[in-house]
Amino acid sequence: MHAYSWLIALDHIPSVGWHTIHSLIQAGWKPKGPVPDDLLDRLTLSRVRPKAIGKVKCELTSALVEKVMQNLEKMQIQTVTFFDPAYPSLLKEIAQPPWVLYIRGDSSLLTQKSLAVVGTRKPTPYGLRATRELVTPLAERGWTIISGMANGIDGEAHRSALRVGGKTIAVLGTGVDVIYPKNHRRLYEQLVEHGAVISEMPPGTPPHPGVFPRRNRIISGLSHGTLVVEAAEKSGSLITAGFSMEQGREVFAVPGMMTSALSQGTLKLIQDGAKCVRQP
């Protein structure tokens, strides 16, 4: 049984989010065991929603802990909590680091030197070529490539690393057992076998628009820097770049034609101080 199995089980309870868990720990909860009733009663005076407190009181039981841990073992899903020695130190530095990471694949990659590579879901041939030419030598030199397994630049970044036997991590906005987009089933299988797939969302969590911006802070948070290859002016990959700046990490951008809509985001990043990337 995992040392922090009570925390992992708590993370599975709907309506219990990051702030509720944070409030419990701040109030003195030791996440290796159950939450004392008197501590929950004290939380009613704080800003924790009564619904969340009620959920914890009713649902966080030893039976739930056993059920959750058995299901994770059956699904071959590993877990690393914020309190484990294996938790990535870079991720601890960000605002609201995940309390629990769910992992399929090689969990040791979480602590390797890594670079985030992101971009548009609808790249041009130039964007795909730039991704291959930049990622390939980095992966060959031992850098772990981190992206979001989306269509377009993300998928090409993962594949470019895998082609040369490099390491790569996909951070999902779903549960680690939910393949999204569905057309990336083969890529997902390769990532589980030769890299890693991770998420802060409990298994079974379906795709939801509000979750994907949150997962971007993990993509940048695990990385020494973020490379944006091709992005429109309002691309979601710019959210990742923004998190990277907030986290004090490097931001790199590939220049493109000023007449291309898919270069406006990267050109703006360069204008705002991102490092202009011309070669690996």
Side-chain angles (χ1 to χ4, degrees), residues 115-118 127-147 153-168 227 229 254 277 279-280:
L115 179 76
V117 180
V118 295
L128 293 173
R129 178 181 174 183
T131 303
R132 287 191 295 271
E133 292 190 2
L134 292 170
V135 167
T136 298
L138 290 168
E140 288 176 332
R141 284 162 176 76
W143 283 84
T144 297
I145 303 301
I146 301 181
S147 198
I153 298 299
D154 287 24
E156 189 60 37
H158 292 307
R159 292 189 187 95
S160 296
L162 290 167
R163 283 189 200 104
V164 293
K167 299 301 182 182
T168 180
L227 168 64
V229 176
V254 177
V277 174
Q279 57 186 349

Side-chain angles (χ1 to χ4, degrees), residues 175-195:
V176 290
D177 58 327
V178 178
I179 301 172
Y180 183 82
K182 292 183 178 180
N183 62 295
H184 274 176
R185 174 172 292 278
R186 176 59 183 149
L187 176 58
Y188 173 89
E189 292 168 350
Q190 290 176 321
L191 284 162
V192 170
E193 185 176 355
H194 302 291

Side-chain angles (χ1 to χ4, degrees), residues 107 217 244 271-272:
S107 60
R217 84 189 194 286
S244 200
Q271 187 178 41
D272 291 343

